[in-house]
Amino acid sequence: MEVTIDKNSGYCFGVEFAIKMAEDEMEHSEKLYCLGDIVHNDMEVKRLSEKGLVVIDREQLGQLSNCKVLIRAHGEPPETYKTAIENNIELIDASCPVVLKLQHRVKNAFDKMEREEGQIVIYGKKGHAEVIGLTGQTLEKAIVVMEDSDLEKIDFTRPVTLFSQTTKSTKGFYEISKKIEERIKASKGELTELDYNSNDSICRQVSNREPQLQRFAKENDVILFVSGKKSSNGKALYQVCLNENSRSFFIENETELDLEWFSKNDKVGICGATSTPMWLMEQVKEHLELHSEQVLTV
């Protein structure tokens, strides 16, 4: 059995940067608070908690003072920074530069839409940390859409500016964008530049993984996709693998492996989400190789 780890899988720049900042800070501090899970991977969260990283929610943030709090790669709304100033909290800001740039774009677009009585629409998962940070730039007025049914929230007689959560699928974004465009045309009879402005704000480091994973899934007999169950990016990228290779399996760690998935001569590919640490994929590889002689079928 040949087992290969996809060299393009693992942390994106933003997540890697945030974890490095947390580890560097914890070398000098006994305790560092983190607003939400630093990454959507329970095993990495557990590893960092053992080093002194304490995960808190927004309600708990309001009760803290005179301490250090890490802002993860997803970014935060303006309200978080306001709370930090009021409570004398030192923020270790590990917001991804791509997300920060998008927040700035959304804020500028919102100011323009307010003048033109328009709407900001964000293609993303409602309640996702990054989306909370983006809607915070719009005084919570942005409309969050992901399914066709969400489009009912939009007033198609008024101007629309569309953005995307940085980790969403490009295919999904362009599909929803086309539907919004068609509804504006149907409502107004025409489509002007003022009526609709669609912005593909998906991170290319994330979206480029789709074609890379498609190739990887085709090159192997079995795919082990390693990801935390809470990762939106993980669910989307696993679907990319499954579409190309029906013998694709979603696992959180090596304990979920089932030897009945494999044959002795299989080429097995291991890959993961932007929130999957390389050490975890290597752990899965080592476990499979250690038990490969127990695979019975040829």
Side-chain angles (χ1 to χ4, degrees):
M1 186 186 292
E2 183 184 331
V3 186
T4 310
I5 296 175
D6 173 29
K7 66 181 189 299
N8 298 305
S9 283
Y11 290 148
C12 61
F13 163 79
V15 171
E16 195 168 1
F17 177 69
I19 288 174
K20 179 76 166 62
M21 282 190 77
E23 289 180 321
D24 288 349
E25 188 60 40
M26 285 187 293
E27 283 182 11
H28 313 291
S29 307
E30 284 187 14
K31 182 186 287 185
L32 175 66
Y33 293 100
C34 181
L35 196 46
D37 287 344
I38 192 169
V39 64
H40 292 145
N41 188 284
D42 288 344
M43 293 189 71
E44 183 69 322
V45 169
K46 182 173 181 289
R47 183 183 75 85
L48 291 169
S49 74
E50 288 166 357
K51 289 190 167 195
L53 191 66
V54 180
V55 177
I56 57 168
D57 57 28
R58 285 185 176 79
E59 188 178 332
Q60 290 170 310
L61 177 73
Q63 296 160 8
L64 294 176
S65 60
N66 308 310
C67 61
K68 292 182 180 181
V69 175
L70 181 88
I71 290 181
R72 54 197 175 159
H74 304 87
E76 280 294 317
E79 190 62 33
T80 297
Y81 295 88
K82 184 169 175 279
T83 301
I85 292 168
E86 290 170 353
N87 294 12
N88 194 34
I89 294 170
E90 182 185 340
L91 293 178
I92 312 298
D93 199 339
S95 300
C96 173
V98 175
V99 173
L100 284 178
K101 186 178 177 183
L102 176 56
Q103 286 186 352
H104 184 66
R105 289 176 67 193
V106 169
K107 173 70 171 70
N108 287 343
F110 172 68
D111 291 343
K112 183 184 177 190
M113 285 290 96
E114 284 288 273
R115 292 191 298 270
E116 296 170 357
E117 297 186 352
Q119 306 148 97
I120 296 292
V121 178
I122 295 168
Y123 172 61
K125 183 181 179 183
K126 193 169 180 61
H128 187 279
E130 184 191 323
V131 173
I132 290 170
L134 295 176
T135 57
Q137 310 304 316
T138 70
L139 304 176
E140 306 303 328
K141 292 183 181 181
I143 300 165
V144 180
V145 301
M146 198 157 77
E147 311 293 342
D148 287 3
S149 57
D150 295 328
L151 298 180
E152 302 305 322
K153 304 173 195 171
I154 303 170
D155 180 352
F156 294 102
T157 65
R158 293 165 55 205
V160 173
T161 296
L162 174 70
F163 291 96
S164 176
Q165 180 183 326
T166 61
T167 53
K168 295 306 287 179
S169 149
T170 47
K171 182 172 178 283
F173 172 77
Y174 282 103
E175 283 175 356
I176 211 100
S177 178
K178 192 168 187 300
K179 285 169 184 172
I180 292 172
E181 188 178 311
E182 286 168 354
R183 293 216 191 180
I184 293 172
K185 275 183 187 173
S187 177
K188 291 191 167 184
E190 60 175 354
L191 186 75
T192 67
E193 195 175 323
L194 179 63
D195 290 327
Y196 187 45
N197 181 7
S198 176
N199 300 274
D200 175 354
S201 51
I202 293 163
C203 174
R204 285 300 172 258
Q205 195 184 0
V206 174
S207 65
N208 287 345
R209 293 200 179 184
E210 292 186 25
Q212 290 163 350
L213 270 185
Q214 285 172 332
R215 287 193 295 273
F216 188 72
K218 286 175 183 174
E219 290 165 0
N220 289 279
D221 300 308
V222 181
I223 291 293
L224 297 176
F225 189 88
V226 187
S227 172
K229 300 280 195 297
K230 291 185 279 189
S231 169
S232 301
N233 172 253
K235 290 171 189 170
L237 291 181
Y238 169 64
Q239 200 57 50
V240 169
C241 293
L242 194 59
N243 289 343
E244 299 297 331
N245 186 332
S246 60
R247 292 175 73 194
S248 295
F249 302 95
F250 190 116
I251 60 171
E252 206 154 21
N253 54 56
E254 73 279 4
T255 65
E256 297 179 2
L257 282 175
D258 185 339
L259 295 179
E260 291 187 5
W261 295 341
F262 311 99
S263 297
K264 282 197 180 294
N265 298 324
D266 277 341
K267 282 177 67 180
V268 180
I270 298 172
C271 50
T274 54
S275 55
T276 305
M278 186 55 72
W279 63 260
L280 184 53
M281 289 184 282
E282 287 168 352
Q283 208 164 277
V284 170
K285 181 176 188 283
E286 287 169 16
H287 184 87
L288 181 58
E289 288 176 337
L290 190 65
H291 296 88
S292 61
E293 72 279 358
Q294 295 174 33
V295 175
L296 300 175
T297 53
V298 179

